[in-house]
Amino acid sequence: MRRIRVGMLIGGIILGFIALVFLAGGVMLLWAYSTQRDADGYYAFDPEPFRAPGYAITSEDLYLGAPNEWFPEDLATVRISASSDTQTFIGIGRTGDVDGYLQGVPHSVVRDVEGNPFHVIYGQVPGDAAPAPPADQGFWVATATGSGTQSLTWDLGAGTYMVVLMNADGSQGIDVQLSAGVKVDAVLPIMIGMLVVGLILAASATVLIVLSTRGRTPAAPLPPPTRPDGAATA
């Protein structure tokens, strides 16, 4: 019985730790879901300056799984917005198509983004060719172009993609205020699931710990000391 109680106690402690992880994750998602979304349901960062001297600013390759692999439908929607004094083009295309379009064209690739203060680290791709206007290309999976603030939305899909930012006429010198956000419809069911699982595990851990401390046989009291003649002392 002692071994069983010890096992129950250890199991309860382990379940309690796992429950704490689930509950903490659920609470964090609840906080983000309640306070960090904008009016359209996107988790987004505020507009920040993106500037480069070449013909385009691109992201690095965004690998989202091979087309023949399992990929969840409607996993998330991406929104990218840019504002500038000139007409701006935002596009998302498959990496092979974008590489072919910008072959020999000098442009900048975003390698990293740092905050506080905001700073973009670029890699420069040399070249001496000028691109055709980006909106004339037919390979984009999502685009937005025009003056003022332009926004595109795109439902994530399997494949390898790049985000491209250019002037709408294909000219050199990019200077925009850019923001991006993502909307994940699965956040709410994931949050609820984590909280429910955490509560169930916490209840199970409590039961195991309580049961492990019950039913212990109290130690028998020591007999009273005796005198040398065998009589009990007072």
Side-chain angles (χ1 to χ4, degrees):
M1 290 297 295
R2 179 178 177 82
R3 290 181 178 178
I4 294 176
R5 292 195 200 96
V6 171
M8 293 171 66
L9 179 61
I10 294 174
I13 293 172
I14 294 174
L15 279 182
F17 177 76
I18 298 174
L20 182 62
V21 172
F22 273 88
L23 290 173
V27 169
M28 290 182 63
L29 286 178
L30 176 61
W31 170 78
Y33 186 82
S34 303
T35 65
Q36 300 302 302
R37 300 185 306 155
D38 63 17
D40 296 320
Y42 285 86
Y43 303 91
F45 66 81
D46 294 332
E48 298 288 355
F50 281 73
R51 301 184 181 96
Y55 288 95
I57 297 175
T58 75
S59 69
E60 294 187 295
D61 294 349
L62 306 175
Y63 177 72
L64 302 175
N68 60 342
E69 293 178 352
W70 175 85
F71 191 87
E73 296 292 334
D74 301 325
L75 175 65
T77 301
V78 173
R79 182 187 65 193
I80 302 174
S81 301
S83 61
S84 174
D85 294 334
T86 61
Q87 290 202 339
T88 302
F89 172 86
I90 315 167
I92 297 177
R94 295 187 180 276
T95 295
D97 294 329
V98 175
D99 284 342
Y101 171 59
L102 294 178
Q103 180 69 37
V105 175
H107 61 280
S108 303
V109 181
V110 176
R111 300 298 188 192
D112 196 10
V113 177
E114 299 176 351
N116 197 27
F118 182 83
H119 178 63
V120 184
I121 298 174
Y122 297 102
Q124 303 300 326
V125 179
D128 54 12
D136 293 346
Q137 312 307 308
F139 59 79
W140 306 107
V141 299
T143 64
T145 185
S147 58
T149 300
Q150 297 297 312
S151 297
L152 69 74
T153 59
W154 175 57
D155 294 330
L156 292 181
T160 305
Y161 299 88
M162 295 176 71
V163 180
V164 180
L165 186 65
M166 300 179 66
N167 293 322
D169 60 1
S171 61
Q172 285 182 292
I174 312 299
D175 185 358
V176 303
Q177 294 286 320
L178 185 74
S179 67
V182 62
K183 179 167 62 176
V184 183
D185 294 331
V187 167
L188 183 58
I190 291 173
M191 175 192 69
I192 295 174
M194 293 186 72
L195 291 174
V196 170
V197 171
L199 290 173
I200 292 174
L201 290 176
S204 301
T206 301
V207 170
L208 286 175
I209 292 173
V210 170
L211 290 177
S212 71
T213 60
R214 285 186 176 180
R216 293 181 178 177
T217 303
L222 295 174
T226 58
R227 297 197 300 261
D229 58 5
T233 59

